[in-house]
Every structure is written in structure tokens, then in C-alpha cells.
Amino acid sequence: MADQGPYHDRSAALADREATLSHALSRLHLEGAVFLRGEYTEPWAYESLPPQDAVAVLAPDARRVILFHVVATGRAWIETVEGERHWASAGDVIVLPYGDSHRMGGTEPAVCVAVSALIDPPPWERMPVIHHGAGGAETHLVCGYLACDDPLFDPRMRALPSVFVVRPDGAARLWVRASIDYAVQQTALTRPDHFEAPTRIPELLLAEVLRLHLADSPAGETGWLRALRDPVLSPALAAMHASPERKWTLLDLARAAGVSISLLDERFRSVLGLAPIRYLTGWRMHLATDLLRSSDLGVAAVARRVGYESEEAFSRAFKRETGEAPSIWRTARFSRAPS
């Protein structure tokens, strides 16, 4: 058989990595449901419940909930208290892994209304549907939640951004849409006196969305979910994830983990296959692609957010990782959100 070259090797490695990541994510114990539909017309905007209130309403026995919104039609922005505005269009999935307070709205300026004023209080006999806006262009959202105690969703670890947008392609995009359509249809068929939303679909949906989101993370082949539970690695990872903009040194990270530099380095290499600072660089680039993909932030602001004092230094690092300058990467893949 003819040698298929390095491209084949990279493709095979990527396929192996995604298969391993999918397997690891499938072992997460998730429980949740699709619970709400929103039918909004321009202009519109709303503010969510505080996290503790959302938990009390959706999953009283849980410590926290993961929230997600699937954009069925139209276009919407979302922002958390961090203030970074992300945009999503039809077919995109918005994830709030820590259930943070957030605001959402459309393409036109609007007064932000508390969501509690738009929906009847539970218990619900049917899936609630919010109708809100001034009658212009429509945006439809399907919203769900999941509960999970895994360290991946521990807000102290900050292993994920407070909000991120995933844009599935090809078969994954079709699967997301078909799954949500099915969940909404099944909920509509429940008895008027008994509201019960399908649960497996949100679990499968979140696992697939996380696989897509994490596919380019600096996680080695298999070790990232394991690293989050490692007593040496988890405090170091939590420190980096919480403050990616900080000028971290090996000594700083070793102190955060309470171990020697040599032990920290050895554990990073054995579990993640990367040196600590190499992991940090990869994590910064992973965060940067998220921000370039869906947020309003300019390249210079993204650079500062991920720990680079100058746009030039960030651009060089980004190009080393991706092969393209940040502005070219952004333009080639995603249209900018409207101002």
C-alpha cells in the first residue's frame, strides 16, 4: 500500500482523539430536559433568573444546572456578567455550563425585561412558550437544562467559558435540529395535566456539543477529563482557567498546586502529554478561537483577555497554533455580528 503521508497520519490521530473524547463524555452522568420555547420578535431582550432561582425551579435537588439554548430560527446575542457579547444564528447551540445569569436579545436595541415577567410560575402542565417583542423579525429558541456534579461543570474549575456558542456542521447540524424538533413534538403530545419533557435528548445533545467544542482543546489524547479530577493537576488547571490573562510561571503554578515544579511538570506530561506552559498557551488559543468565533471583541481585546499585552504578540502566537492570523481566521470562517 502506498504511503499516504503526514496528512493521513494527522487525520487518523484526529479521528482517534475525537472517538476517545466522545467515549469519555458519554460516561458523564447527566440529567435534564427541554423545558421552554421562546418566540421573540424584534426588538426584544430579556434577563434570566439568578442561578439559584433557576436551580430551585428546574432541579431543586441539584447543586447547579447547565443551561443551553438552541437557535431554531433568526439571530440572537447572549452575554453574562463578564460582559462579552456572543452571537448565535439558526442551528447554533448556546451553552452556559455553570448556569450563570445572562441577558439575551435580538439584532435591534431593546429594553431588557426580566424573564420572570414573561412566564407563568411553575408547576407547568405544558411546556411554557414565551411570546415577547414588538412584532418584527422572528427568532425562535428552544431551551433546556441538565444537572451534573462532574468537575467539568464545577464553577471553581472554570474548565469551560461562562458561555460559548457551538456551530455544528453537516450531519451534526441536521442531528441537532432533528433532535430538538422531536423533543418539542413529544412534549406537545403529553397530556394537558401532565408535563413531561424527554430527557435523553438533552443529554445526547450536550455530549455532542461538548465534543465539538473540546475537539481542538489542548487536552492531549485522553487526559483532560481525568486531569480535572487529579489532586495535583486540578488546582493548577483551576488557576489557569480562572485567570488566563495572568503572567503565569512554573513556580506560580506549582505553588497553586502545592507541589514542586518537577512533580507538576511530570504530572502534566504524563496525564496531558504537555508541559504546563505549553498547555497554558494551547488553552489561551482555545479561548481565543471561541471569542473570535462568536463575540464582538476586537483582536486587541481578545489578546488582552487571553494574556497578551500586545496584539502583535498574540497574532504571532495564534498564527503558530492555527497557521493563520486572527483577523484572517475570523473572516474566513465566521461573519462578524451586526453592531
Side-chain angles (χ1 to χ4, degrees):
M1 182 179 294
D3 184 7
Q4 299 184 50
Y7 177 79
H8 172 75
D9 294 340
R10 289 196 302 271
S11 298
L14 179 61
D16 289 344
R17 174 178 170 149
E18 290 195 355
T20 302
L21 182 57
S22 295
H23 176 70
L25 291 171
S26 70
R27 299 174 67 180
L28 292 176
H29 181 64
L30 299 162
E31 295 182 352
V34 173
F35 72 94
L36 176 69
R37 287 193 295 126
E39 298 182 356
Y40 305 104
T41 55
E42 296 290 347
W44 64 276
Y46 77 80
E47 184 169 7
S48 73
L49 293 172
Q52 63 273 18
D53 292 349
V55 171
V57 168
L58 299 172
D61 295 332
R63 287 189 292 174
R64 51 187 176 266
V65 294
I66 306 151
L67 300 175
F68 68 86
H69 306 282
V70 180
V71 184
T73 62
R75 187 166 174 79
W77 56 262
I78 184 167
E79 61 186 22
T80 62
V81 293
E82 294 177 355
E84 297 166 355
R85 179 167 292 191
H86 297 256
W87 288 86
S89 301
D92 294 350
V93 183
I94 303 167
V95 182
L96 295 123
Y98 313 116
D100 289 346
S101 296
H102 59 280
R103 294 178 291 273
M104 292 192 72
T107 58
E108 300 178 20
V111 175
C112 206
V113 178
V115 73
S116 58
L118 305 174
I119 188 172
D120 293 331
W124 300 308
E125 294 180 349
R126 293 180 181 272
M127 179 185 288
V129 181
I130 292 177
H131 300 276
H132 176 55
E138 296 183 350
T139 295
H140 291 179
L141 303 175
V142 178
C143 309
Y145 77 92
L146 296 111
C148 183
D149 287 335
D150 193 272
L152 179 61
F153 305 107
D154 187 337
R156 296 170 298 181
M157 287 294 300
R158 289 289 156 179
L160 298 163
S162 60
V163 58
F164 59 90
V165 178
V166 174
R167 292 174 172 157
D169 292 321
R173 194 174 190 86
L174 295 175
W175 179 84
V176 168
R177 181 56 187 262
S179 298
I180 290 299
D181 286 347
Y182 176 77
V184 171
Q185 180 187 49
Q186 290 299 109
T187 302
L189 295 175
T190 57
R191 302 194 313 270
D193 62 343
H194 183 64
F195 170 61
E196 182 176 336
T199 58
R200 280 292 291 163
I201 286 177
E203 297 169 27
L204 296 172
L205 175 65
L206 184 67
E208 175 65 12
V209 166
L210 285 171
R211 185 190 66 79
L212 294 171
H213 176 73
L214 295 173
D216 62 348
S217 65
E221 292 301 320
T222 63
W224 194 63
L225 293 175
R226 174 186 164 195
L228 296 177
R229 301 175 178 85
D230 186 279
V232 172
L233 293 179
S234 60
L237 292 175
M240 284 189 277
H241 294 163
S243 302
E245 75 286 352
R246 180 173 166 179
K247 293 182 179 180
W248 290 105
T249 66
L250 277 175
L251 181 58
D252 293 333
L253 295 171
R255 285 173 173 168
V259 297
S260 67
I261 290 176
S262 59
L263 177 56
L264 183 72
D265 184 73
E266 185 278 328
R267 192 65 63 88
F268 261 89
R269 292 175 187 273
S270 64
V271 176
L272 290 169
L274 298 167
I277 298 303
R278 182 66 187 86
Y279 173 88
L280 175 61
T281 299
W283 186 251
R284 285 170 168 169
M285 295 302 106
H286 180 63
L287 295 178
T289 57
D290 271 345
L291 294 171
L292 291 168
R293 178 185 292 120
S294 62
S295 80
D296 282 338
L297 294 178
V299 173
V302 171
R304 292 191 296 272
R305 175 69 178 80
V306 298
Y308 290 84
E309 293 182 352
S310 73
E311 183 176 340
E312 292 76 13
F314 167 67
S315 294
R316 288 193 299 271
F318 190 89
K319 189 171 183 178
R320 282 196 299 270
E321 290 287 319
T322 67
E324 295 177 309
S327 57
I328 295 174
W329 187 94
R330 171 182 258 173
T331 301
R333 288 162 178 78
F334 307 99
S335 60
R336 292 297 302 276
S339 58

